[in-house]
Amino acid sequence: MLKGKHIVLGISGGIAAYKSAHLLRLLVKQGAEVQVVITPNGKEFITPATLAALSGKPVVSEFFAANTGEWHSHVDLGLWADLMVVAPATASTIGKMANGIADNMLITTYLSAKEQVMVAPAMDLDMWSHPSTQRNISTLRRDGVIIIEPASGELASGLCGKGRMEEPEAIVDAIKSYFRKSETLAGKKVVITAGPTYENIDPVRFIGNYSSGKMGFALAEEFAGRGADVTLVAGPVSLETENTHIKRLNVVSAQEMHDVCLSAAEGADCVVLAAAVADYTPETVSETKIKREQEDSMALRLKRNPDIAASLGREKGDRVLVGFALETDHETENALHKLRKKNLDWIVLNSLRDPEAGFMKDTNKVTIIGKDGSTSSFPAKSKREVAADIVEAVLPSLKSQE
Ligand code: C5P
């Protein structure tokens, strides 16, 4: 399972560091290539000589090798690795990771990491439950880091409670299940629309909406994280993609999004329509800036834009179509009506009445409705977590295409 995988094993200064030698041994036995990066305090608990012998590679700890002055490149490590695992992660290392305090090689490596990062915390129970630690853990989760929850039991302090680093065998299981998950959608082609559209009135004005694109971008990361080949058709937003495998196509108007999306959707297994597409566009676009007139009012004639979801629904085949519905009233009824009218397989409903859902928010609260009328409601979560729920819900329809 781990054959040929490149893993960076970060070790920080806690007593649980003695277990890292066993973890390293298990990873190497499974066929992984492991590069150890240790903090200065980590070396107080386990020697680099042990770790170098077990990994078959010199341990990286300092920015420069003391004898040769050679620079250790954290950027190269970030590009080499398929996964970074920090075990043990002390409260201090977790705090530095959450806040970008790059004062050692482990943190600079983390900040340059393009790959998934996992963290196995290890500390005393009071440190673990402290609001500061919990805040930092939440930040890391929001940043996409996988947390391997500490176990409960006897702690080095003699106290008993939650904070013990998970056993190496359980960490290896979590690593394997990550790699398994990252290949679930290998070979599947997914197209996602995200963000608003801008409909030009004249060279300086447009009709737009408040969509931030965050939901669509989170979906793109989530699908790509499971190995899908993702094309993200993005309206004008200021977001960046993290996963380097996402192909991003920037568009501005609804017509442009329609054309780009339909051509990207050829041969796609799944299309997720998360964009807030303008329903209407000015009938004519003035080539020059429209001047203020004497009249107190002015009329703007609009014409209907193409409906991307409905166009795709008309020539559906076995492609899985997922739409969104942002409703203010009769939510479920309206969402189901939309699902049927546009011939979708799934519709994700969020209500504007909900303070934790909707435009520009980092959280969303959704109900996922299937074409058979099945509904699953979820509590308010970060958009990344909501994206994971949506992917989980549509996975069976994607798998059944095979
Ligand atoms: O009809 P309504 O705009 O509420 O439908 C919402 C769903 O349809 C969303 O998934 C949205 O992305 C999609 N849509 C579209 N093209 C449009 C309008 C909406 O793909 N022109």
Side-chain angles (χ1 to χ4, degrees), residues 193 273-279 305-309 322-325 327 338 342:
T193 66
L273 301 139
V277 188
D279 292 321
N305 269 328
D307 188 320
I308 306 166
V322 187
F324 275 73
E327 302 293 333
K338 243 168 231 179
K342 301 191 187 203

Side-chain angles (χ1 to χ4, degrees), residues 3 78 83 99 117 120 123 131 146-147 171 180 186 191 225 269 286 294 298 319 334 363 371:
K3 200 161 170 37
L83 179 71
N99 294 290
V117 179
M123 65 200 75
I146 298 172
I147 309 293
I171 297 176
R180 213 174 297 121
V191 176
D269 302 287
S286 173
Q294 289 308 314
M298 77 169 279
R319 195 178 341 169
N334 285 341
T363 55
K371 63 178 169 200

Side-chain angles (χ1 to χ4, degrees), residues 212-254:
S212 63
K214 285 179 184 168
M215 195 61 244
F217 273 63
L219 277 159
E221 297 296 339
E222 201 53 42
F223 273 105
R226 288 163 201 248
D229 165 10
V230 176
T231 303
L232 176 64
V233 184
V237 291
S238 54
L239 299 174
E240 297 289 338
T241 53
E242 286 163 24
N243 192 309
T244 47
H245 299 299
I246 298 171
K247 181 177 169 200
R248 175 177 181 170
L249 302 173
N250 290 326
V251 296
V252 178
S253 69

Side-chain angles (χ1 to χ4, degrees), residues 150 157 163 178 295:
S157 60
Y178 160 71
E295 290 82 30

Side-chain angles (χ1 to χ4, degrees), residues 76-227:
D76 288 351
L77 267 182
L79 293 175
W80 170 84
D82 300 307
L83 179 71
M84 177 174 186
V85 184
V86 184
T90 59
S92 159
T93 287
I94 288 168
K96 287 181 190 177
M97 287 171 76
N99 294 290
I101 301 168
D103 66 351
N104 65 47
M105 207 39 205
L106 194 156
I107 309 294
T108 49
T109 305
Y110 167 68
L111 293 180
S112 310
K114 293 254 180 285
E115 68 282 9
Q116 176 66 51
V117 179
M118 284 177 143
V119 154
M123 65 200 75
D124 221 14
L125 75 165
D126 295 324
M127 292 175 86
W128 172 251
S129 60
H130 195 280
S132 163
T133 308
Q134 289 307 311
R135 211 165 39 239
N136 290 331
I137 288 283
S138 298
T139 303
L140 290 185
R141 272 212 178 92
R142 233 178 301 121
D143 291 344
V145 173
I146 298 172
I147 309 293
I148 304 171
E149 288 275 326
S152 285
E154 215 175 285
L155 301 165
S157 60
L159 296 170
C160 210
K162 191 166 176 175
R164 222 164 82 161
M165 185 176 87
E166 194 42 287
E167 292 306 324
E169 286 77 5
I171 297 176
V172 172
D173 283 348
I175 291 171
K176 282 188 186 165
S177 95
Y178 160 71
F179 279 119
R180 213 174 297 121
K181 186 176 151 200
S182 71
E183 284 150 21
T184 340
L185 290 175
K188 294 283 180 192
K189 202 174 156 211
V190 180
V191 176
I192 299 168
T193 66
T197 62
Y198 287 177
E199 309 299 318
N200 282 350
I201 298 171
D202 67 13
V204 289
R205 305 179 180 97
F206 61 84
I207 301 172
N209 61 67
Y210 289 120
S211 169
S212 63
K214 285 179 184 168
M215 195 61 244
F217 273 63
L219 277 159
E221 297 296 339
E222 201 53 42
F223 273 105
R226 288 163 201 248

Side-chain angles (χ1 to χ4, degrees), residues 296-341:
D296 286 338
S297 65
M298 77 169 279
L300 197 59
R301 270 199 77 79
L302 304 175
K303 61 177 183 195
R304 198 194 280 279
N305 269 328
D307 188 320
I308 306 166
S311 303
L312 290 167
R314 276 193 291 276
E315 305 207 357
K316 194 172 159 310
D318 64 353
R319 195 178 341 169
V320 178
L321 283 186
V322 187
F324 275 73
L326 183 67
E327 302 293 333
T328 52
D329 57 280
H330 299 93
E331 288 93 336
T332 313
E333 206 180 307
N334 285 341
L336 253 175
H337 175 68
K338 243 168 231 179
L339 178 144
R340 303 240 154 86
K341 202 173 85 187

